[in-house]
Structures are given as C-alpha cells and as structure tokens.
Coordinates of all heavy atoms in Angstrom, one line a residue:
M29 N 102.4 92.8 107.4 CA 101.5 91.9 106.7 C 101.3 90.6 107.6 O 100.1 90.2 107.6 CB 102.1 91.6 105.4 CG 101.2 90.8 104.5 SD 101.7 90.5 102.8 CE 103.4 90.5 102.8
F30 N 102.3 90.1 108.1 CA 102.1 88.9 108.9 C 101.2 89.2 110.1 O 100.3 88.4 110.5 CB 103.5 88.4 109.4 CG 103.4 87.2 110.2 CD1 103.0 85.9 109.7 CD2 103.6 87.2 111.6 CE1 102.9 84.8 110.5 CE2 103.5 86.1 112.4 CZ 103.2 84.9 111.8
A31 N 101.4 90.3 110.7 CA 100.6 90.7 111.9 C 99.1 90.8 111.5 O 98.2 90.5 112.2 CB 101.0 92.0 112.5
L32 N 98.8 91.3 110.3 CA 97.4 91.5 109.8 C 96.8 90.1 109.7 O 95.6 89.9 110.0 CB 97.4 92.2 108.5 CG 97.7 93.7 108.5 CD1 97.7 94.3 107.1 CD2 96.6 94.4 109.3
I33 N 97.5 89.2 109.1 CA 97.0 87.8 108.9 C 96.7 87.1 110.2 O 95.7 86.5 110.4 CB 98.0 87.0 108.0 CG1 98.0 87.6 106.6 CG2 97.5 85.6 107.9 CD1 99.0 87.0 105.7
V34 N 97.7 87.3 111.1 CA 97.5 86.7 112.5 C 96.3 87.3 113.2 O 95.5 86.5 113.7 CB 98.8 86.8 113.3 CG1 98.6 86.5 114.8 CG2 99.9 86.0 112.7
L35 N 96.2 88.6 113.1 CA 95.0 89.3 113.7 C 93.7 88.8 113.1 O 92.7 88.5 113.8 CB 95.2 90.8 113.6 CG 94.1 91.6 114.3 CD1 94.1 91.3 115.8 CD2 94.4 93.1 114.1
A36 N 93.7 88.7 111.8 CA 92.5 88.2 111.1 C 92.1 86.8 111.5 O 91.0 86.4 111.7 CB 92.6 88.3 109.6
L37 N 93.1 85.9 111.6 CA 92.9 84.5 112.0 C 92.5 84.5 113.4 O 91.6 83.7 113.8 CB 94.2 83.7 111.8 CG 94.5 83.3 110.4 CD1 95.9 82.7 110.3 CD2 93.5 82.4 109.8
L38 N 93.0 85.3 114.3 CA 92.6 85.3 115.7 C 91.1 85.8 115.8 O 90.3 85.2 116.5 CB 93.4 86.2 116.6 CG 94.8 85.7 116.9 CD1 95.6 86.7 117.6 CD2 94.7 84.4 117.8
L39 N 90.7 86.8 115.0 CA 89.4 87.3 115.0 C 88.4 86.2 114.5 O 87.3 86.0 115.0 CB 89.2 88.6 114.2 CG 89.8 89.8 115.0 CD1 89.7 91.0 114.0 CD2 89.0 90.1 116.2
L40 N 88.9 85.5 113.4 CA 88.1 84.4 112.9 C 87.9 83.3 113.9 O 86.7 82.9 114.0 CB 88.8 83.9 111.6 CG 88.1 82.7 110.9 CD1 86.8 83.1 110.3 CD2 89.0 82.1 109.9
F41 N 88.9 82.9 114.6 CA 88.8 81.9 115.6 C 87.8 82.4 116.7 O 86.9 81.7 117.2 CB 90.1 81.6 116.1 CG 90.1 80.6 117.3 CD1 89.9 79.3 117.1 CD2 90.3 81.1 118.6 CE1 89.8 78.4 118.1 CE2 90.3 80.2 119.7 CZ 90.0 78.8 119.4
A42 N 88.1 83.6 117.2 CA 87.2 84.2 118.3 C 85.7 84.3 117.9 O 84.8 83.9 118.6 CB 87.8 85.5 118.7
G43 N 85.5 84.7 116.6 CA 84.1 84.8 116.2 C 83.5 83.5 115.9 O 82.2 83.4 116.0
S44 N 84.2 82.5 115.7 CA 83.6 81.1 115.5 C 83.5 80.4 116.8 O 82.8 79.4 116.8 CB 84.5 80.4 114.5 OG 84.6 81.0 113.3
T45 N 84.1 80.8 117.9 CA 84.1 80.0 119.1 C 83.4 80.8 120.2 O 82.2 80.9 120.3 CB 85.5 79.6 119.5 OG1 86.3 80.7 119.7 CG2 86.1 78.6 118.5
F46 N 84.2 81.5 121.0 CA 83.6 82.1 122.3 C 82.9 83.4 122.0 O 82.2 83.9 122.9 CB 84.7 82.3 123.3 CG 85.9 83.1 122.9 CD1 85.9 84.5 123.1 CD2 87.0 82.6 122.4 CE1 87.0 85.3 122.8 CE2 88.1 83.3 122.0 CZ 88.1 84.7 122.2
L47 N 83.0 84.1 120.9 CA 82.3 85.3 120.6 C 81.0 84.9 119.7 O 80.4 85.8 119.2 CB 83.1 86.3 119.8 CG 84.2 87.0 120.6 CD1 85.0 88.0 119.7 CD2 83.6 87.7 121.8
Q48 N 80.7 83.7 119.5 CA 79.6 83.2 118.7 C 78.3 83.8 119.3 O 77.5 84.2 118.5 CB 79.6 81.7 118.6 CG 78.7 81.3 117.5 CD 78.8 79.8 117.2 OE1 79.5 79.1 118.0 NE2 78.3 79.3 116.1
A49 N 78.1 83.7 120.6 CA 76.8 84.2 121.1 C 76.7 85.7 121.0 O 75.6 86.2 120.6 CB 76.7 83.7 122.6
P50 N 77.7 86.5 121.4 CA 77.5 87.9 121.2 C 77.4 88.4 119.8 O 76.9 89.5 119.5 CB 78.8 88.5 121.8 CG 79.4 87.5 122.7 CD 78.9 86.2 122.1
L51 N 77.9 87.6 118.8 CA 77.9 87.9 117.4 C 76.7 87.2 116.7 O 76.7 87.1 115.5 CB 79.2 87.6 116.7 CG 80.4 88.4 117.2 CD1 81.6 87.8 116.5 CD2 80.2 89.8 116.9
N52 N 75.7 86.8 117.4 CA 74.5 86.2 116.8 C 73.8 87.3 115.8 O 73.4 88.3 116.3 CB 73.5 85.8 117.8 CG 72.4 85.0 117.3 OD1 72.1 84.9 116.1 ND2 71.6 84.4 118.2
P53 N 73.7 87.0 114.6 CA 73.2 88.0 113.6 C 71.7 88.3 113.9 O 71.3 89.4 113.5 CB 73.4 87.3 112.3 CG 73.6 85.9 112.5 CD 74.1 85.7 113.9
R54 N 71.0 87.4 114.5 CA 69.6 87.7 114.8 C 69.4 88.7 116.0 O 68.5 89.5 116.0 CB 68.8 86.4 115.0 CG 68.7 85.6 113.7 CD 67.8 84.5 113.9 NE 67.7 83.8 112.6 CZ 68.0 82.5 112.4 NH1 68.3 81.8 113.5 NH2 67.8 82.0 111.2
E55 N 70.3 88.5 117.0 CA 70.2 89.4 118.1 C 71.0 90.7 118.0 O 70.6 91.7 118.5 CB 70.8 88.6 119.4 CG 69.9 87.4 119.7 CD 70.5 86.6 120.9 OE1 71.3 87.2 121.6 OE2 70.0 85.5 121.1
H56 N 72.2 90.6 117.3 CA 73.1 91.8 117.3 C 73.5 91.9 115.8 O 74.7 91.7 115.5 CB 74.3 91.6 118.2 CG 73.9 91.3 119.6 ND1 73.4 92.3 120.5 CD2 74.0 90.2 120.3 CE1 73.2 91.7 121.6 NE2 73.5 90.4 121.6
P57 N 72.7 92.4 114.9 CA 73.1 92.4 113.5 C 74.2 93.4 113.2 O 75.1 93.2 112.4 CB 71.8 92.8 112.8 CG 70.9 93.4 113.8 CD 71.3 92.8 115.1
L58 N 74.2 94.6 113.9 CA 75.2 95.5 113.6 C 76.6 95.1 114.1 O 77.6 95.2 113.4 CB 74.8 96.9 114.3 CG 75.8 98.0 114.0 CD1 75.8 98.4 112.5 CD2 75.3 99.3 114.8
G59 N 76.6 94.5 115.3 CA 77.8 93.9 115.8 C 78.4 92.8 114.9 O 79.6 92.7 114.7
F60 N 77.5 92.0 114.4 CA 77.9 90.9 113.5 C 78.5 91.4 112.3 O 79.6 91.0 111.8 CB 76.6 90.0 113.2 CG 76.8 89.0 112.2 CD1 77.4 87.8 112.5 CD2 76.5 89.2 110.9 CE1 77.5 86.8 111.6 CE2 76.6 88.2 109.9 CZ 77.2 87.0 110.3
L61 N 77.8 92.4 111.6 CA 78.3 93.0 110.4 C 79.7 93.7 110.6 O 80.6 93.5 109.8 CB 77.3 93.9 109.8 CG 76.1 93.3 109.1 CD1 75.2 94.4 108.7 CD2 76.6 92.5 107.9
L62 N 79.8 94.4 111.7 CA 81.0 95.2 112.0 C 82.1 94.3 112.2 O 83.2 94.4 111.7 CB 80.8 96.1 113.2 CG 81.9 97.0 113.5 CD1 82.2 98.0 112.4 CD2 81.6 97.8 114.8
F63 N 81.9 93.2 113.0 CA 83.0 92.3 113.3 C 83.5 91.6 112.0 O 84.7 91.5 111.8 CB 82.5 91.2 114.3 CG 83.5 90.2 114.6 CD1 84.4 90.4 115.6 CD2 83.5 88.9 113.9 CE1 85.3 89.5 116.0 CE2 84.5 88.0 114.3 CZ 85.4 88.3 115.3
W64 N 82.6 91.1 111.2 CA 83.0 90.4 109.9 C 83.6 91.3 108.9 O 84.4 91.0 108.0 CB 81.9 89.5 109.4 CG 81.7 88.4 110.4 CD1 80.6 88.1 111.2 CD2 82.7 87.3 110.7 NE1 80.8 87.0 111.9 CE2 82.0 86.5 111.7 CE3 83.9 87.0 110.3 CZ2 82.7 85.4 112.2 CZ3 84.6 85.9 110.8 CH2 84.0 85.1 111.8
I65 N 83.1 92.6 108.8 CA 83.7 93.6 107.9 C 85.1 93.9 108.4 O 86.0 94.0 107.5 CB 82.8 94.9 107.9 CG1 81.6 94.6 107.1 CG2 83.6 96.0 107.3 CD1 80.6 95.7 107.2
I66 N 85.4 93.9 109.7 CA 86.8 94.1 110.1 C 87.6 93.0 109.7 O 88.7 93.1 109.3 CB 86.8 94.4 111.7 CG1 86.2 95.8 111.9 CG2 88.2 94.3 112.2 CD1 85.9 96.0 113.4
C67 N 87.1 91.8 109.9 CA 87.9 90.6 109.5 C 88.2 90.6 108.0 O 89.3 90.3 107.6 CB 87.1 89.3 109.8 SG 87.1 88.9 111.6
G68 N 87.2 90.9 107.2 CA 87.4 91.0 105.8 C 88.4 92.1 105.4 O 89.2 91.9 104.5
W69 N 88.2 93.2 106.1 CA 89.1 94.4 105.8 C 90.6 94.0 106.1 O 91.5 94.3 105.3 CB 88.7 95.6 106.6 CG 89.6 96.8 106.3 CD1 90.6 97.2 107.0 CD2 89.5 97.6 105.2 NE1 91.1 98.3 106.4 CE2 90.5 98.6 105.3 CE3 88.6 97.6 104.0 CZ2 90.7 99.6 104.3 CZ3 88.8 98.7 103.1 CH2 89.8 99.6 103.2
L70 N 90.8 93.3 107.2 CA 92.2 92.9 107.5 C 92.8 92.0 106.5 O 93.9 92.0 106.1 CB 92.2 92.3 108.9 CG 92.0 93.3 110.1 CD1 91.9 92.5 111.4 CD2 93.2 94.2 110.2
T71 N 91.9 91.0 106.1 CA 92.4 90.0 105.1 C 92.6 90.7 103.7 O 93.7 90.4 103.1 CB 91.3 88.9 105.0 OG1 91.0 88.3 106.2 CG2 91.7 87.9 104.0
L72 N 91.8 91.6 103.3 CA 91.9 92.2 102.0 C 93.2 93.1 102.1 O 93.9 93.2 101.1 CB 90.7 93.1 101.7 CG 90.7 93.8 100.4 CD1 90.8 92.8 99.2 CD2 89.5 94.7 100.2
T73 N 93.4 93.8 103.2 CA 94.6 94.6 103.3 C 95.9 93.8 103.2 O 96.9 94.1 102.5 CB 94.6 95.4 104.7 OG1 93.4 96.1 104.7 CG2 95.8 96.3 104.8
A74 N 95.9 92.6 103.9 CA 97.0 91.7 103.8 C 97.3 91.2 102.3 O 98.4 91.2 101.9 CB 96.9 90.5 104.7
V75 N 96.2 90.9 101.6 CA 96.3 90.5 100.2 C 96.9 91.6 99.4 O 97.8 91.4 98.5 CB 95.0 90.0 99.7 CG1 95.0 89.7 98.2 CG2 94.6 88.6 100.4
L76 N 96.4 92.8 99.5 CA 96.9 93.9 98.7 C 98.3 94.2 99.1 O 99.1 94.6 98.1 CB 95.9 95.1 99.0 CG 94.5 95.0 98.4 CD1 93.7 96.3 98.8 CD2 94.6 94.9 96.9
L77 N 98.7 94.2 100.3 CA 100.1 94.4 100.6 C 101.0 93.3 100.0 O 102.1 93.6 99.6 CB 100.3 94.4 102.2 CG 99.9 95.7 102.9 CD1 99.9 95.5 104.4 CD2 100.8 96.8 102.5
A78 N 100.5 92.1 100.0 CA 101.3 91.0 99.4 C 101.4 91.2 97.9 O 102.5 91.0 97.3 CB 100.6 89.6 99.6
L79 N 100.4 91.7 97.2 CA 100.5 92.0 95.8 C 101.4 93.1 95.5 O 102.2 93.1 94.6 CB 99.1 92.3 95.2 CG 98.1 91.1 95.0 CD1 96.7 91.7 94.6 CD2 98.7 90.2 94.0
F80 N 101.3 94.2 96.3 CA 102.2 95.3 96.2 C 103.7 94.9 96.4 O 104.6 95.3 95.7 CB 101.9 96.4 97.3 CG 102.8 97.5 97.3 CD1 102.7 98.5 96.2 CD2 103.7 97.7 98.3 CE1 103.6 99.5 96.2 CE2 104.6 98.8 98.3 CZ 104.5 99.7 97.3
D81 N 103.9 94.0 97.4 CA 105.3 93.5 97.6 C 105.8 92.7 96.5 O 106.9 92.8 96.0 CB 105.3 92.7 98.9 CG 106.7 92.3 99.4 OD1 107.6 93.2 99.2 OD2 106.9 91.2 99.8
A82 N 104.9 91.9 95.9 CA 105.3 91.1 94.7 C 105.7 92.0 93.5 O 106.6 91.8 92.8 CB 104.2 90.1 94.3
L83 N 104.9 93.0 93.3 CA 105.2 94.0 92.2 C 106.5 94.7 92.5 O 107.2 95.0 91.5 CB 104.0 95.0 92.1 CG 102.7 94.4 91.5 CD1 101.6 95.4 91.5 CD2 103.0 93.9 90.1
M84 N 106.8 95.1 93.7 CA 108.0 95.8 94.0 C 109.2 94.9 93.8 O 110.2 95.3 93.3 CB 108.0 96.3 95.5 CG 107.0 97.4 95.7 SD 107.4 99.0 95.2 CE 107.2 99.1 93.5
V85 N 109.1 93.6 94.2 CA 110.2 92.7 93.9 C 110.4 92.5 92.4 O 111.5 92.4 92.0 CB 109.8 91.3 94.6 CG1 110.8 90.2 94.1 CG2 109.9 91.4 96.1
K86 N 109.3 92.4 91.6 CA 109.4 92.3 90.2 C 110.1 93.5 89.6 O 111.0 93.4 88.7 CB 108.1 92.1 89.6 CG 108.0 91.7 88.1 CD 106.6 91.4 87.7 CE 106.6 91.1 86.2 NZ 105.3 90.8 85.7
L87 N 109.7 94.7 90.0 CA 110.4 95.9 89.5 C 111.8 96.0 89.9 O 112.6 96.4 89.0 CB 109.6 97.1 90.1 CG 110.1 98.5 89.7 CD1 109.9 98.7 88.3 CD2 109.4 99.5 90.5
E88 N 112.1 95.6 91.1 CA 113.6 95.6 91.5 C 114.4 94.6 90.7 O 115.5 94.9 90.3 CB 113.7 95.3 93.0 CG 115.1 95.5 93.5 CD 115.6 96.9 93.5 OE1 114.9 97.8 93.5 OE2 116.8 97.0 93.4
S89 N 113.8 93.5 90.4 CA 114.4 92.5 89.6 C 114.7 93.0 88.2 O 115.8 92.8 87.6 CB 113.6 91.2 89.6 OG 114.1 90.3 88.6
R90 N 113.7 93.7 87.6 CA 114.0 94.2 86.3 C 115.1 95.3 86.3 O 115.9 95.3 85.4 CB 112.7 94.9 85.8 CG 111.6 93.9 85.3 CD 110.4 94.7 84.8 NE 109.4 93.8 84.4 CZ 108.2 94.1 84.0 NH1 107.8 95.4 84.1 NH2 107.3 93.2 83.7
R91 N 115.1 96.1 87.3 CA 116.1 97.2 87.4 C 117.5 96.5 87.6 O 118.4 96.9 86.9 CB 115.9 98.1 88.6 CG 114.7 99.0 88.4 CD 114.6 99.9 89.6 NE 113.4 100.8 89.5 CZ 112.8 101.4 90.5 NH1 113.3 101.2 91.7 NH2 111.8 102.2 90.3
E92 N 117.6 95.5 88.4 CA 118.9 94.8 88.6 C 119.3 94.1 87.3 O 120.5 94.2 87.0 CB 118.8 93.9 89.8 CG 118.6 94.5 91.1 CD 119.9 95.3 91.5 OE1 121.0 94.9 91.1 OE2 119.7 96.3 92.2
R93 N 118.4 93.5 86.6 CA 118.7 92.8 85.4 C 119.2 93.8 84.3 O 120.2 93.5 83.6 CB 117.5 92.0 84.9 CG 117.8 90.9 83.9 CD 116.6 90.1 83.5 NE 115.7 89.8 84.6 CZ 114.4 89.9 84.6 NH1 113.8 90.3 83.5 NH2 113.7 89.6 85.6
R94 N 118.5 94.9 84.3 CA 118.9 96.0 83.3 C 120.3 96.5 83.6 O 121.1 96.7 82.7 CB 117.9 97.1 83.3 CG 118.1 98.1 82.2 CD 117.0 99.2 82.2 NE 115.7 98.6 81.9 CZ 114.7 98.8 82.6 NH1 114.7 99.6 83.7 NH2 113.5 98.2 82.4
A95 N 120.6 96.8 84.9 CA 121.9 97.3 85.3 C 123.0 96.2 85.0 O 124.0 96.6 84.6 CB 121.9 97.6 86.8
L96 N 122.7 95.0 85.3 CA 123.7 93.9 85.0 C 123.9 93.8 83.5 O 125.1 93.7 83.1 CB 123.1 92.6 85.5 CG 124.1 91.4 85.5 CD1 125.4 91.7 86.2 CD2 123.4 90.2 86.0
R97 N 122.9 93.9 82.7 CA 123.0 93.8 81.2 C 123.9 95.0 80.7 O 124.8 94.8 79.9 CB 121.7 93.9 80.6 CG 121.7 93.5 79.1 CD 120.3 93.5 78.5 NE 119.4 92.6 79.2 CZ 118.2 93.0 79.6 NH1 117.8 94.3 79.4 NH2 117.4 92.2 80.3
E98 N 123.7 96.2 81.3 CA 124.5 97.4 80.9 C 125.9 97.2 81.3 O 126.8 97.6 80.6 CB 123.9 98.6 81.5 CG 122.6 99.1 80.9 CD 122.7 99.4 79.4 OE1 123.7 100.0 79.0 OE2 121.8 99.0 78.7
N99 N 126.2 96.7 82.5 CA 127.6 96.5 83.0 C 128.3 95.4 82.2 O 129.5 95.5 82.0 CB 127.6 96.1 84.4 CG 127.2 97.3 85.3 OD1 127.3 98.4 84.9 ND2 126.8 97.0 86.5
L100 N 127.6 94.4 81.7 CA 128.2 93.3 81.0 C 128.3 93.5 79.5 O 128.9 92.7 78.8 CB 127.5 92.0 81.3 CG 127.6 91.5 82.7 CD1 126.8 90.2 82.9 CD2 129.1 91.3 83.1
K101 N 127.6 94.5 79.0 CA 127.6 94.7 77.5 C 129.0 95.1 77.1 O 129.6 96.0 77.6 CB 126.6 95.9 77.2 CG 126.5 96.1 75.7 CD 125.7 97.3 75.4 CE 124.2 97.1 75.7 NZ 123.4 98.2 75.3
P102 N 129.5 94.4 76.0 CA 130.8 94.8 75.5 C 130.8 96.2 74.9 O 129.8 96.6 74.4 CB 131.1 93.7 74.4 CG 129.8 93.1 74.1 CD 128.9 93.4 75.3
N103 N 131.9 96.8 75.0 CA 132.1 98.2 74.6 C 132.0 98.1 73.0 O 132.7 97.5 72.3 CB 133.4 98.8 75.0 CG 133.5 100.3 74.9 OD1 132.5 100.9 74.4 ND2 134.5 100.8 75.5
S104 N 131.0 98.9 72.5 CA 130.8 98.8 71.0 C 131.8 99.6 70.2 O 131.9 99.4 69.0 CB 129.4 99.4 70.7 OG 129.3 100.7 71.1
R105 N 132.6 100.5 70.8 CA 133.6 101.3 70.1 C 134.9 100.5 69.9 O 135.7 100.9 69.1 CB 133.9 102.5 70.9 CG 132.8 103.5 70.8 CD 133.2 104.7 71.6 NE 132.9 104.5 73.0 CZ 133.3 105.3 74.0 NH1 133.9 106.4 73.8 NH2 132.9 105.0 75.2
G106 N 135.0 99.4 70.5 CA 136.2 98.5 70.3 C 137.3 99.0 71.3 O 137.3 100.2 71.7
S107 N 138.2 98.2 71.6 CA 139.2 98.5 72.5 C 140.5 99.0 71.7 O 140.8 98.4 70.7 CB 139.6 97.4 73.5 OG 140.0 96.3 72.7
T108 N 141.2 99.9 72.3 CA 142.4 100.3 71.7 C 143.6 100.0 72.6 O 143.4 100.1 73.9 CB 142.4 101.8 71.4 OG1 142.2 102.5 72.7 CG2 141.3 102.2 70.4
T109 N 144.6 99.6 72.1 CA 145.8 99.2 73.0 C 146.8 100.3 72.7 O 147.1 100.7 71.7 CB 146.4 97.8 72.6 OG1 146.7 97.8 71.2 CG2 145.4 96.7 72.9
D110 N 147.5 100.7 73.8 CA 148.5 101.7 73.8 C 149.9 101.1 73.9 O 150.2 100.2 74.5 CB 148.4 102.7 74.9 CG 147.1 103.6 74.6 OD1 146.7 103.8 73.4 OD2 146.5 104.0 75.7

C-alpha cells in the first residue's frame, strides 16, 4: 500500500513538472487521460486497501475480544471441591 501511494505521488509530481509538456491535453489527449487515469487508479487502489486493512483489524479485534470474554467468563455450573 505504501508503494502504491509513493508511486502515485511520484507520478503526480512528474506529471506536474517535467512531464507537463508531453502530457498537454490539447496536443496529446489520449496520453493525458491515460496518465491521470493511472494516477487515479493507484490512489483508489491504495484507499481500498486501507479500508480493507481497517476492516480486517476490526474483525480480528472482535474475535480476540470474544475469545477473551469466553476465557474470562466464570463457570456457570459452579465449582466443586474434593
């Protein structure tokens, strides 16, 4: 995920500086669209991966909480001493 964000930022920087002339939308509309679609796709992929990761952490937290609750629950049958 970090690599996707870094790559998207590098493409954003490149498209705004030294690739500005080759990406002129009036001269190269297809190249312009393709470049920015790739930037958007990388960014969207990173956001979706972050959401997926957050959901997985939440699910794991619920599982751990449930397991802890089951382990700490007092025995309902009562204890017997021998």
Side-chain angles (χ1 to χ4, degrees):
M29 182 172 31
F30 179 73
L32 289 174
I33 293 173
V34 169
L35 185 59
L37 285 172
L38 285 174
L39 286 175
L40 177 67
F41 175 75
S44 298
T45 57
F46 60 88
L47 289 179
Q48 192 170 14
L51 292 176
N52 186 350
R54 292 190 177 121
E55 293 178 17
H56 308 285
L58 185 61
F60 174 82
L61 283 175
L62 185 63
F63 181 84
W64 292 112
I65 286 172
I66 290 171
C67 287
W69 182 260
L70 290 172
T71 304
L72 183 63
T73 303
V75 168
L76 290 176
L77 282 172
L79 288 174
F80 177 73
D81 190 39
L83 289 173
M84 293 282 74
V85 167
K86 188 175 180 179
L87 178 66
E88 185 65 28
S89 171
R90 284 183 183 170
R91 286 181 184 161
E92 292 294 326
R93 201 175 316 134
R94 187 176 300 130
L96 184 61
R97 193 177 306 127
E98 290 296 321
N99 288 340
L100 292 178
K101 186 187 287 185
N103 199 352
S104 61
R105 291 181 274 170
S107 62
T108 60
T109 54
D110 291 331

